[in-house]
Structure formats: C-alpha cells, structure tokens
Amino acid sequence: MTAQYSGDKKTPVLRLENIVRAYGPVRAVDGVSFDAYPGQFIALLGPNGAGKSTLFQLLSGLFTPDSGLIDVMGHDMRRDPVPALAGLGIVFQQSTLDLELTVRGNLLFHSGLHGIPGAIARQRIARELDRLGLSDAADNKASALSGGNRRRVELARALLHEPRVLLMDEATVGLDIQSRADLRKLILSLRRERGVAVLWATHLTEEVVDADRVIVLHKGKILRDTTPAELLASTGKASIEDAFLGLTGSPPKAAA
Ligand code: ADP
C-alpha cells in the first residue's frame, strides 16, 4: 500500500482573504475568501464566466488582485512572491509542454527553472514518472504522447519542486471520459500521499462528487463552501447539477 501523508493537516497551506479583481465594471472575482488544508481536494465549481480563470491567474501570480490577501505557506503573494510561488504547482488549461522535447527533457527544463540541482532533479523525475506510470515514455517526444499522458507529464512537472498546493485549471478539458476519470483518480490518491492541497477548477458537476469540499462560484462570489453531500442535503436536490441550478438559476455547463 502507498504511504500516506502524516504531517500537519491543520495549518492552511493557502489562504485567500476577500480577493477582488475587476475588469472595468465587471467584478470577475468579488470578495472571495477561503483556506485550503493539506490533503484536501477542493473542487471550484462554476459556469463559464464565474471567475475561475481570473482567480487562478491571481493565484499563479500572473497579476495582482485589486484588493485582498493571497497567502501561500505563510508567504504573502504580493510582498513575498518568490517563496509564495515556490509553494504552488500549476497545471494550466492549455497544454504548455514543448512537443519537440522528450518527456524527460521537458521535466529537466522545468527543474532547471526551479533551480533544482541535477542529481535531485533526475531522482524526482524518475519518481514522478514511475508514480504516474510513464517511466517507459521518458525518452519519447512529448508530441508522441496521447492527450491523457501529456496531462500526466504536466502533472509530474507541477510536482517536481514539491509544492504544497496544486492548482488545476479545467485540467480535463479535451480529454476523453476515461482519461478524465483516470486523472481525477490519480489526483485523489496523490493528495493523500503527499498531503498536497488540490484546487480543481471545473464546470463539470461529475468532477465534484468525490471532492472533499466543493466551492460554488457564481459571478465572482462564493455561493457555497461545503462538502458535496452537504450541498445536496442543504438544497434538497438529488444531483450536484440540480443543486447548482437551484442555487444559481443556471446550469454549470452553460455560459453565464
Ligand atoms: P471562468 O474562468 O469561470 O469562465 P473568467 O475568470 O474567465 O471566468 O471570467 C470572469 C468574468 O470576467 C467574465 O464576466 C469575463 O467576461 C470577465 N473577464 C475575464 N477576463 C477578462 C478580460 N481580460 N477583460 C475583460 N473582462 C474579462
């Protein structure tokens, strides 16, 4: 059996306090606050336009909020961005692998960017590829991989610097049903093994059912931050999709 994380689970690894980001009159993120704890799989559920991408861009340091605090492992993202960003692993919605490089080449390049010494990088690359079932593909060009395996390489890459928070922005977009389910299962077990907090943005209700927490985002605001079971109980609905519809008046898959 795989070892489970046995460290501190009570100190938040990510804290958001009253984050606001507007584009002109549109408050894309409008007063969002929550904490994420080690080992939690948190689904951020919202339709197109809910503010998920904007929130992820703020979390990944691409730009700063108009107001509010983002804290990663005790480091304020605005005042102390380097250690804050070092605590985050990110898998973007769009693939960002260099398709001309091998799998190992992609991972070595990223290790270099993070200043991970060569011997340690090689050890970690071997460990992650083994964990993700990709050891045999290490010397293949990224272009030769299936969509599901490319995502796995991006996941391996996001884990190389041993982040405590893993951000996955609609990471299953473009994958077939089996690959989507496999990726989610993998993340669910990794978060227990590594004690990493996972923030999984999605507009797909079926990706929420086995989350530890679901945060319902609508028009930039958090409508609920709860468990999937409590979301159903409190709305009196039989499915997450109906619960979402009841809360927002719009189905999660439709444009807002
Ligand atoms: P999601 O990722 O949930 O689909 P977004 O964060 O992309 O949501 O969008 C939230 C809101 O902010 C939407 O109303 C969208 O139109 C607006 N928005 C996002 N990016 C920009 C931008 N660069 N300029 C103007 N408005 C934007």
Side-chain angles (χ1 to χ4, degrees):
M1 195 179 130
T2 326
Q4 304 281 291
Y5 174 76
S6 58
D8 173 16
K9 293 185 182 160
K10 299 217 167 83
T11 306
V13 282
L14 174 69
R15 289 177 46 226
L16 277 72
E17 256 179 53
N18 211 12
I19 301 298
V20 174
R21 170 74 191 197
Y23 296 105
V26 178
R27 286 168 83 90
V29 176
D30 191 3
V32 164
S33 302
F34 65 88
D35 292 345
Y37 292 86
Q40 278 191 335
F41 182 107
I42 304 173
L44 184 69
L45 177 67
N48 294 331
K52 304 182 299 296
S53 296
T54 304
L55 191 58
F56 269 59
Q57 285 164 347
L58 296 171
L59 286 171
S60 47
L62 292 179
F63 50 78
T64 52
D66 300 332
S67 59
L69 174 88
I70 298 172
D71 180 298
V72 187
M73 303 291 298
H75 303 288
D76 180 339
M77 179 75 89
R78 193 187 294 264
R79 273 185 297 151
D80 236 356
V82 173
L85 288 169
L88 298 174
I90 306 170
V91 178
F92 292 103
Q93 193 172 337
Q94 303 294 335
S95 178
T96 54
L97 292 180
D98 185 330
L99 296 181
E100 288 307 307
L101 289 181
T102 62
V103 167
R104 196 192 311 277
N106 270 282
L107 298 177
L108 280 169
F109 181 70
H110 178 84
S111 306
L113 289 180
H114 274 273
I116 304 170
I120 295 178
R122 280 189 290 279
Q123 263 176 24
R124 288 190 191 168
I125 289 169
R127 178 186 72 189
E128 295 304 343
L129 290 181
D130 180 46
R131 177 66 187 84
L132 303 184
L134 284 171
S135 297
D136 291 346
D139 296 314
N140 295 352
K141 268 193 176 181
S143 58
L145 300 178
S146 66
N149 281 342
R150 286 184 197 178
R151 270 283 118 112
R152 281 173 185 244
V153 175
E154 288 173 320
L155 175 59
R157 185 180 60 182
L159 293 169
L160 282 178
H161 60 288
E162 304 191 326
R164 300 306 312 283
V165 181
L166 185 59
L167 303 176
M168 304 204 59
D169 185 9
E170 306 249 6
T172 57
V173 163
L175 300 186
D176 60 58
I177 291 178
Q178 188 60 49
S179 305
R180 288 201 326 236
D182 289 348
L183 185 68
R184 213 173 70 257
K185 245 170 74 187
L186 187 58
I187 300 286
L188 284 164
S189 46
L190 276 173
R191 61 83 152 90
R192 285 223 196 285
E193 290 165 28
R194 310 276 172 94
V196 70
V198 181
L199 192 58
W200 176 281
T202 186
H203 63 279
L204 300 171
T205 46
E206 65 267 28
E207 296 192 342
V208 168
V209 285
D210 42 15
D212 300 306
R213 263 165 80 188
V214 53
I215 294 179
V216 179
L217 193 69
H218 187 56
K219 296 186 176 165
K221 290 183 189 295
I222 292 181
L223 297 187
R224 289 291 163 93
D225 178 355
T226 186
T227 62
E230 204 282 324
L231 182 64
L232 296 180
S234 67
T235 54
K237 304 290 186 187
S239 70
I240 301 280
E241 184 141 10
D242 287 345
F244 189 91
L245 191 57
L247 284 173
T248 65
S250 56
K253 287 174 195 164

